[in-house]
Amino acid sequence: MSLPSIQTLYDVTEATWPHAGAWNEGGFTIRDGQGGGKRVSAATLAGPLAEAKIETAEAAMRNLQQPLLFMLRAGEEDLDAELDARGYEVIDPVNIYAAKADALARDDIPRTIAIPAWEPLRIMEEIWAAGGIGPARIEVMRRACTPKTGIVSRFNDQPAGTSFMAMSQGISMVHALEILPGHRRSGLGRWAMHRAGQWTLKNGGHTVSVICTQANDAANGLYQSLGMSLIGAYHYRIKPE
């Protein structure tokens, strides 16, 4: 089985990191993110650009008291150009990686270094909060499809990091991988991804995927070093206040 297409991974992203509500307005999918970040609140094109009304989408986002924010995916270059002409600025270009789960899974993962746990433990919430991942994003995790799990990373018998993952279409996606500053460069991110491969296989899946911003050199380096393939990308455009 080959790795999934970028369009499939867009769908997996939606299922594993979901909005609180969505509907079609003006030819765009409008998302109610309830403070859960760009991915769950950005509008996306829902049909032909010629039939879309950007002003209608903008009004819907204003009614939600959300930033005027659009996600631009592969093949949406014309919309990207139109938003650019309207003064929208590019923000947070993102890479999406994937690998076969059996290529990531290992049987020699130290028992306490990457521990699956769900519901989120208090220590997981504290580590996420230290990295700017607050209660609204925890609620995104609670809304996510199943199966899903968190992973507690430990080092020298201390809590050192955490992450979240959920599976859709046999593809798990890792989100919110956060390692405490004092424990970085200890291999914890690598062990967490090996555990992700193992967990995916145990839950009947076949592929592990992950998203990171293009500006995050450390994360991009980690996923590339693990042999994960860059499948595609997306970015946002936001209207300055």
Side-chain angles (χ1 to χ4, degrees), residues 55-237:
E55 296 84 356
T56 301
E58 290 174 330
M61 286 184 277
R62 287 192 181 98
N63 286 339
L64 288 169
Q65 298 183 325
Q66 293 181 170
L68 303 187
L69 180 73
F70 292 84
M71 179 189 291
L72 285 305
R73 302 162 297 189
E76 296 178 344
E77 291 78 9
D78 289 346
L79 174 60
D80 195 32
E82 176 63 25
L83 292 170
D84 182 42
R86 291 170 178 251
Y88 279 77
E89 298 177 353
V90 173
I91 185 171
D92 288 346
V94 166
N95 287 331
I96 306 182
Y97 293 91
K100 303 310 295 180
D102 57 7
L104 281 177
R106 289 177 56 166
D107 294 327
D108 62 343
I109 303 171
R111 186 178 62 84
T112 61
I113 205 165
I115 308 165
W118 195 257
E119 294 276 327
L121 306 174
R122 176 64 62 85
I123 188 59
M124 297 165 72
E125 295 181 350
E126 290 175 355
I127 293 171
W128 276 319
I133 300 169
R137 285 176 170 83
I138 303 297
E139 288 305 311
V140 174
M141 300 177 200
R142 294 185 190 281
R143 292 194 297 265
C145 63
T146 56
K148 60 185 172 185
T149 190
I151 294 176
V152 182
S153 297
R154 296 180 63 85
F155 191 73
N156 289 337
D157 205 31
Q158 295 179 334
T162 191
S163 54
F164 170 79
M165 61 188 301
M167 187 192 300
S168 175
Q169 302 181 54
I171 303 166
S172 61
M173 184 166 279
V174 178
H175 301 274
L177 176 57
E178 187 67 31
I179 305 298
L180 291 173
H183 295 284
R184 292 172 187 167
R185 298 187 176 276
S186 299
L188 294 174
R190 180 175 295 273
W191 285 118
M193 295 304 295
H194 289 316
R195 181 70 80 194
Q198 188 184 72
W199 180 89
T200 299
L201 293 175
K202 285 185 176 180
N203 284 273
H206 49 76
T207 300
V208 177
S209 60
V210 68
I211 292 173
C212 70
T213 61
Q214 294 176 6
N216 190 335
D217 292 336
N220 282 281
L222 169 64
Y223 304 134
Q224 291 164 12
S225 73
L226 286 165
M228 301 188 77
S229 298
L230 177 60
I231 305 300
Y234 64 83
H235 64 274
Y236 303 96
R237 280 194 180 267

Side-chain angles (χ1 to χ4, degrees), residues 7-73:
Q7 296 297 333
T8 296
L9 290 179
Y10 291 150
D11 293 340
V12 171
T13 302
E14 189 96 350
T16 61
W17 196 259
H19 48 70
W23 60 93
N24 190 305
E25 199 160 338
F28 290 89
T29 299
I30 306 299
R31 292 174 176 80
D32 179 3
Q34 294 190 5
K38 297 182 186 68
R39 208 177 309 162
V40 294
S41 59
T44 51
L45 191 64
L49 180 58
E51 299 174 9
K53 296 178 174 60
I54 292 174
E55 296 84 356
T56 301
E58 290 174 330
M61 286 184 277
R62 287 192 181 98
N63 286 339
L64 288 169
Q65 298 183 325
Q66 293 181 170
L68 303 187
L69 180 73
F70 292 84
M71 179 189 291
L72 285 305
R73 302 162 297 189

